[in-house]
Amino acid sequence: MSVLRNIESKLESLFEGVFGRAFRTNVQPVELARKLVKEMDDHRNVSVSRVYVPNEYTIYLSPGDRTQFESYEDQLKGELSEYLAEHARRESYVLLSPPRVQFETDDDLDVGVFGIATRMVQTGARAADSEPNATMVYKPAAAPAPQATQAASPVDLGIQREVAVLTWDGERHEISKRRVVLGRSKDADVQVADPNVSRRHAELRQEGATYWLIDLDSTNGVEVRGKRVKRLKLEDGTRFTVGSTEISFSRELQ
């Protein structure tokens, strides 16, 4: 059996044993391991002769899920880091340092829902020197009730990926970074072709699994139902106006 399979078996045993008793409806350690590997694969950077992958991984958990890990968090982080390192070796990926996994609590997450943000950090670099990738939020897929004679399939019990989307005038814009600037300028991350919109009008910012819209001291501001706001928490279905353009925010499962 390969080292990778040994680690995976160890994680599964860990869940079936100590963790299994606490995580009947919560996030499962094996689930975290698989999604960490997916994030590593999704954020590959190909150079002339090497493939670089992130070496820092932050997992955002609901308070209920984080509490379940209190007595075992260091052990689990070590297991997850080892799992990532072995996957990188098997795929011939290059890491700037051994992978590091850390946990953060996000009060806006529900039990069973978690987010993962990745970052490629030079040894000794300050955290602020490296902008993290967008946090990918994973939710349990809605499983239809199985037939009386059938067991639920792995697909029924799968995890779906969530993306943030801005929509206006029939156009759809997926948000792929933790911070994007909305504005009239061609240099803006998301360009809004409206003469009443400032060149750098507002910033859409992801903090953990929560999205915020911050007015960047624009001329006409940001309005919600006719009321001007400086900072707006974005929920699925939130509508706001910049200049004379109404924009809808949504969180969609892929």
Side-chain angles (χ1 to χ4, degrees), residues 24-38:
R24 296 303 180 189
T25 59
N26 297 70
V27 172
Q28 302 177 9
V30 173
E31 198 175 310
L32 295 177
R34 290 169 180 162
K35 292 307 173 184
L36 284 168
V37 164
K38 176 174 171 44

Side-chain angles (χ1 to χ4, degrees), residues 1-200:
M1 182 181 291
S2 69
V3 176
L4 182 64
R5 295 302 177 195
N6 276 323
I7 296 172
E8 187 168 8
S9 297
K10 190 175 181 181
L11 280 168
E12 288 174 346
S13 298
L14 188 62
F15 171 68
E16 292 296 333
V18 177
F19 288 105
R21 292 192 292 273
F23 281 87
R24 296 303 180 189
T25 59
N26 297 70
V27 172
Q28 302 177 9
V30 173
E31 198 175 310
L32 295 177
R34 290 169 180 162
K35 292 307 173 184
L36 284 168
V37 164
K38 176 174 171 44
E39 290 301 311
M40 175 180 279
D41 291 339
D42 286 350
H43 291 98
R44 292 172 294 180
N45 287 283
V46 181
S47 69
V48 176
S49 59
R50 296 181 177 182
V51 179
Y52 293 91
V53 290
N55 55 337
E56 184 175 291
Y57 299 78
T58 301
I59 301 174
Y60 294 92
L61 297 165
S62 69
D65 283 320
R66 182 75 184 276
T67 298
Q68 302 294 329
F69 288 118
E70 281 182 346
S71 301
Y72 323 102
E73 188 169 298
D74 289 342
Q75 179 186 354
L76 179 58
K77 286 190 292 188
E79 296 283 349
L80 294 173
S81 297
E82 186 179 351
Y83 188 79
L84 284 170
E86 176 56 29
H87 180 73
R89 284 192 290 270
R90 190 175 72 165
E91 298 296 328
S92 298
Y93 293 154
V94 176
L95 291 155
L96 298 180
S97 69
R100 176 172 176 255
V101 176
Q102 56 189 359
F103 291 159
E104 296 288 348
T105 302
D106 190 323
D107 294 333
D108 291 313
L109 289 176
D110 296 325
V111 170
V113 179
F114 61 95
I116 299 176
T118 66
R119 185 173 6 218
M120 194 177 297
V121 182
Q122 291 277 5
T123 304
R126 294 176 301 170
D129 292 340
S130 178
E131 180 68 18
N133 295 305
T135 303
M136 299 312 302
V137 178
Y138 293 94
K139 294 183 176 181
Q147 299 284 338
T149 57
Q150 289 181 319
S153 70
V155 174
D156 293 332
L157 301 175
I159 296 295
Q160 293 177 304
R161 195 176 194 179
E162 183 184 76
V163 295
V165 177
L166 296 177
T167 306
W168 72 91
D169 295 339
E171 296 183 5
R172 183 176 179 278
H173 301 265
E174 287 191 9
I175 304 303
S176 59
K177 298 191 296 184
R178 291 175 65 86
R179 294 188 179 189
V180 297
V181 173
L182 284 68
R184 192 179 74 252
S185 170
K186 292 182 180 180
D187 295 328
D189 298 304
V190 178
Q191 187 179 12
V192 183
D194 179 342
N196 295 309
V197 169
S198 298
R199 292 176 61 80
R200 290 172 56 86

